[in-house]
Amino acid sequence: MSNNQTKNTAHEKEPKLTIKEILQEHWFLTRLCFAAAPGGMAFHIFESVKLRISIFFEFIWIVNYALGIAERGGSWKQFCWCMVLFMAAVFVSTVSFAYYKQSLLPRVTPVLHQAFRMHIYERTKNLDLACYDDTEFYQKFILATEESDACIDRYLETIETYSSAVTEFMLALGFCLTVNPLILLVTTGSFLASFWIAGRENRLLVASRMERLPYEQKREYQNRVFYLSDYAKDLRLYPGMQEKCQQDFNQSQKEIRRIHRTYGKKLFICRSIRQAVGSVYLQRVLAWSLLLYQVLVLRTLSYTAMLSSLKAADYVYESAGSMITGFQTAAENAAYVKRIQSLTDMAPLVVSEKNLPASDHPASFDLQNVTFSYQPGQPVLKNISLHIGAKQKIALVGYNGSGKTTLVKLLLRLYDPDSGSICCNGTDIRDFAVKGYRHSIGSVFQDFKIYAASLKENVLLDISSHTKKESYDVEKALYDAHFTLQDNRLVYQIETPLTTEFEKDGVSLSGGEMQKVAIARTLYRRQNLIIMDEPSSALDPLAEYELNQELNEIAQDQTVVFISHRLSTTRDADCIYMMEQGQIIEAGTHEELLAADGKYAGMWKVQAGLYTD
């Protein structure tokens, strides 16, 4: 995409938020934050209001009262009592504010961060796998995870700003209306002009952020390449890749700088105009001119009222400016929250209307004319029809890109087919409750992951009940997967932490050992259907043969679907389906397919030297 196209796209996705929309997004954050920490939020608002009340009394009311005593010829005792009461109130207010700032706020803020992140996770964890194939969705997801804490921080800042500014504005406005209403004319024009310019400035800030997002995403990817251990060996063995990554990083930086330059000019103009129009010096000159005219020419104002009016006018002006800044922050925040909400408001397409419970019986499957495509008009599977009998061992074979993994993703209902049907034990799988159906199937994909957790937790992939039976079942699953617990590195046995990223006693497993842990996950649950996508690719041929024999024995009462390039894994299958370009081109037992002398037989002959009895 060219720079101009990128720019245009960013502007097209940057609609101006109305005041109603800004209020709606902040009302959502208000409900979220008060539900998570009601006492903390109430105290946050209380302190913001109380601080401005105390400042108003300190710098306007007390000054006006003290000077009034002097002008009226009041007593020294009256003044002293006033000061004593005022200092006592200041002491209580200072202690309260110190508790809020140093103790309460640092404890409440992480709670609010967590509440917002959990809202995002809860709303997105059930979204379809297809969402991750969508670039726009993924960018929104990245924005949500990066900006969630900042959204809460900006919200707290906005609440504090408006609670303070509105309180100060109302007190100062009331004082001015009582003592000298004419002084308010000085602040009105600059306030309205600054408010309008701030809205324009905010839209530029958000547009700049959204246009930078794709390039920042690429830059962060290059950062990960350099610091993650996954890439460390390749970067050292292939220096040319280092140069390529650095070039990509520099290109991303170049585009980010270009965007900063483009928007920087506009932001500079907006801020310069806003600061000129709303200059405090201009406001002071106008205020002094008006007040001195009232005192010296009209003689309608005392010197005490003049000083108090000037200070009150300053507060009206400053609080109005704070509300403009607060509005700018609120509008920017609302723009981010709206994008996050658009992400969390997405409804999953893989749903069930009937929510039937998954079958407890060994699974049999019938696929009829199943067609599926990741991108419209580019089918990956074409009119697939096949039968998988209960307790059968089925093998899917074929070259890379033939559609094998996509087919098992449909069996797992990670996607729904574009057309056709998939039935489990005679019932369309779309009628089963999604979570229960997926839980009834065990799967090991070739891109499985090992987590920075204990060996036991990596097998459970669930919250541990810490029972002896659970530990025994985990150890048995590892044993059945041929994982050696007697390894001297496993100091804590199944409680040994895996990976060395966070634990100094952690253990880094080999590729074959990690694959055995992934297989143990499936064996632990004993589901009715087991899907093995290249389950033994990291094992040597002897270990692979032994594991296959064990799996056939362990899973004799379960339906098993194998995907493998090594045909020794598939030769004992009850039925083998040969796939090519999204279609089933051959089906039968190992012997039948060899006799047919087709594509399967050709693959077998290539590998025959490795698997001859």
Side-chain angles (χ1 to χ4, degrees):
M1 181 179 289
S2 68
N3 292 341
N4 290 335
Q5 286 175 317
T6 303
K7 189 186 302 183
N8 292 337
T9 301
H11 285 301
E12 288 172 0
K13 295 179 182 177
E14 200 51 48
K16 177 182 176 181
L17 292 183
T18 64
I19 293 179
K20 180 180 178 181
E21 289 174 318
I22 294 172
L23 292 175
Q24 285 175 339
E25 300 306 334
H26 280 78
W27 176 239
F28 156 73
L29 288 178
T30 299
R31 297 197 313 271
L32 179 82
C33 292
F34 269 89
M41 287 301 301
F43 208 86
H44 179 68
I45 295 174
F46 168 75
E47 280 297 330
S48 302
V49 171
K50 185 204 69 179
L51 180 64
R52 291 303 163 183
I53 292 175
S54 64
I55 290 175
F56 173 81
F57 272 88
E58 179 179 356
F59 292 101
I60 295 182
W61 190 85
I62 289 293
V63 171
N64 188 67
Y65 182 77
L67 291 176
I69 290 175
E71 285 189 341
R72 294 191 303 270
S75 67
W76 174 252
K77 182 178 180 182
Q78 184 181 9
F79 173 77
C80 289
W81 272 112
C82 176
M83 290 298 103
V84 168
L85 292 174
F86 174 71
M87 293 304 296
V90 168
F91 175 77
V92 173
S93 176
T94 302
V95 172
S96 171
F97 184 76
Y99 165 75
Y100 157 74
K101 205 70 175 179
Q102 303 301 326
S103 178
L104 183 66
L105 191 60
R107 288 185 285 114
V108 169
T109 303
V111 173
L112 301 181
H113 289 168
Q114 180 186 8
F116 195 25
R117 282 183 174 270
M118 290 307 298
H119 169 79
I120 295 172
Y121 295 155
E122 287 296 325
R123 299 291 293 273
T124 56
K125 68 182 183 181
N126 292 322
L127 289 180
D128 302 329
L129 191 62
C131 291
Y132 292 85
D133 303 326
D134 185 338
T135 302
E136 184 177 348
F137 167 87
Y138 204 59
Q139 289 182 358
K140 285 183 179 180
F141 205 174
I142 291 173
L143 179 70
T145 55
E146 288 182 347
E147 290 291 333
S148 61
D149 289 355
C151 283
I152 292 296
D153 294 339
R154 283 191 291 263
Y155 169 74
L156 291 175
E157 179 185 346
T158 300
I159 290 296
E160 180 180 4
T161 298
Y162 268 90
S163 298
S164 301
V166 170
T167 301
E168 186 176 66
F169 182 82
M170 296 303 294
L171 289 171
L173 180 65
F175 185 88
C176 288
L177 289 174
T178 304
V179 177
N180 185 15
L182 289 178
I183 195 66
L184 296 175
L185 295 176
V186 175
T187 63
T188 304
S190 60
F191 170 77
L192 294 176
S194 297
F195 185 83
W196 182 84
I197 297 171
R200 171 64 178 167
E201 185 180 336
N202 166 72
R203 290 194 294 276
L204 288 171
L205 285 169
V206 176
S208 172
R209 176 70 173 92
M210 295 308 298
E211 190 171 333
R212 294 195 316 268
L213 182 61
Y215 301 113
E216 290 175 347
Q217 181 183 348
K218 292 178 182 178
R219 182 180 63 181
E220 178 56 29
Y221 172 77
Q222 299 304 331
N223 280 333
R224 293 199 306 271
V225 167
F226 277 102
Y227 72 70
L228 287 180
S229 61
D230 304 28
Y231 305 94
K233 293 190 294 294
D234 287 341
L235 289 180
R236 282 151 182 77
L237 292 173
Y238 305 102
M241 182 54 69
Q242 292 186 30
E243 295 180 12
K244 178 64 171 64
C245 291
Q246 289 172 344
Q247 289 173 3
D248 290 345
F249 180 86
N250 292 335
Q251 181 62 30
S252 298
Q253 283 288 87
K254 181 179 178 181
E255 292 296 334
I256 291 171
R257 288 196 299 270
R258 176 188 62 79
I259 295 168
H260 276 304
R261 285 196 301 270
T262 301
Y263 285 93
K265 298 173 184 176
K266 299 175 183 178
L267 287 169
F268 170 75
I269 294 172
C270 280
R271 287 173 182 171
S272 298
I273 295 174
R274 181 160 66 89
Q275 289 176 2
V277 171
S279 170
V280 66
Y281 301 108
L282 176 63
Q283 191 262 347
R284 281 286 177 85
V285 169
L286 294 175
W288 272 112
S289 300
L290 176 62
L291 290 170
L292 288 173
Y293 182 78
Q294 289 179 292
V295 172
L296 300 176
V297 179
L298 299 180
R299 300 189 181 278
T300 57
L301 208 63
S302 67
Y303 285 103
T304 297
M306 181 187 74
L307 293 175
S308 300
S309 296
L310 179 63
K311 194 63 180 178
D314 283 346
Y315 278 4
V316 170
Y317 181 77
E318 290 171 5
S319 59
S322 296
M323 283 190 278
I324 290 175
T325 303
F327 174 78
Q328 188 175 10
T329 302
E332 179 185 1
N333 206 35
Y336 291 129
V337 175
K338 186 176 179 65
R339 281 163 179 76
I340 294 173
Q341 287 289 81
S342 70
L343 174 71
T344 60
D345 287 343
M346 292 177 65
L349 300 177
V350 179
V351 295
S352 174
E353 294 183 1
K354 296 184 179 180
N355 283 316
L356 299 177
S359 174
D360 294 330
H361 303 292
S364 66
F365 287 85
D366 286 287
L367 284 71
Q368 294 293 328
N369 300 319
V370 170
T371 297
F372 175 77
S373 57
Y374 293 104
Q375 300 294 333
Q378 302 176 24
V380 178
L381 298 177
K382 308 167 189 174
N383 296 316
I384 297 290
S385 295
L386 61 85
H387 171 75
I388 303 174
K391 301 184 183 182
Q392 276 192 331
K393 308 300 181 281
I394 299 299
L396 299 176
V397 300
Y399 295 104
N400 288 338
S402 60
K404 305 183 299 297
T405 299
T406 299
L407 180 57
V408 299
K409 286 179 180 178
L410 295 182
L411 286 175
L412 284 162
R413 215 184 166 211
L414 295 173
Y415 298 88
D416 277 339
D418 299 336
S419 61
S421 64
I422 303 175
C423 293
C424 176
N425 294 339
T427 302
D428 194 310
I429 63 173
R430 287 172 288 199
D431 293 337
F432 292 118
V434 176
K435 186 175 180 179
Y437 172 76
R438 289 174 180 167
H439 190 71
S440 70
I441 302 175
S443 60
V444 180
F445 284 102
Q446 52 189 319
D447 55 352
F448 63 87
K449 299 298 180 185
I450 295 295
Y451 295 88
S454 69
L455 174 58
K456 177 181 178 180
E457 290 168 329
N458 267 280
V459 174
L460 290 175
L461 290 186
D462 200 351
I463 298 174
S464 174
S465 62
H466 301 291
T467 62
K468 290 183 178 180
K469 183 180 185 307
E470 180 185 72
S471 296
Y472 171 79
D473 290 341
V474 169
E475 290 178 359
K476 186 177 186 306
L478 288 166
Y479 174 81
D480 291 339
H482 287 202
F483 185 91
T484 305
L485 281 171
Q486 285 71 37
D487 192 318
N488 292 332
R489 296 175 301 161
L490 303 177
V491 179
Y492 308 108
Q493 292 292 284
I494 61 174
E495 298 297 338
T496 301
L498 300 186
T499 80
T500 57
E501 186 169 356
F502 303 113
E503 301 286 347
K504 65 178 182 180
D505 296 330
V507 173
S508 295
L509 302 179
S510 68
E513 288 172 326
M514 288 191 291
Q515 203 152 34
K516 290 175 182 178
V517 172
I519 292 170
R521 293 171 181 168
T522 295
L523 300 181
Y524 171 78
R525 287 166 179 76
R526 305 289 297 176
Q527 285 110 330
N528 295 324
L529 172 64
I530 298 177
I531 294 176
M532 296 288 188
D533 187 353
E534 296 287 350
S536 54
S537 59
L539 304 180
D540 60 75
L542 180 58
E544 176 193 45
Y545 174 79
E546 293 175 350
L547 178 60
N548 288 339
Q549 297 304 309
E550 290 287 342
L551 284 175
N552 285 331
E553 182 178 342
I554 294 167
Q556 60 182 339
D557 294 327
Q558 295 163 284
T559 306
V560 181
V561 175
F562 284 97
I563 297 178
S564 181
H565 288 91
R566 293 183 179 178
L567 300 187
S568 63
T569 302
T570 65
R571 64 181 298 178
D572 296 326
D574 296 314
C575 187
I576 300 170
Y577 292 95
M578 178 75 184
M579 297 188 67
E580 186 176 78
Q581 296 182 355
Q583 296 177 305
I584 295 175
I585 59 173
E586 296 179 19
T589 64
H590 175 72
E591 290 75 16
E592 290 171 346
L593 293 178
L594 287 183
D597 198 25
K599 292 290 183 72
Y600 178 86
M603 286 184 67
W604 174 259
K605 290 173 184 176
V606 172
Q607 300 182 16
L610 299 174
Y611 303 110
T612 302
D613 292 332

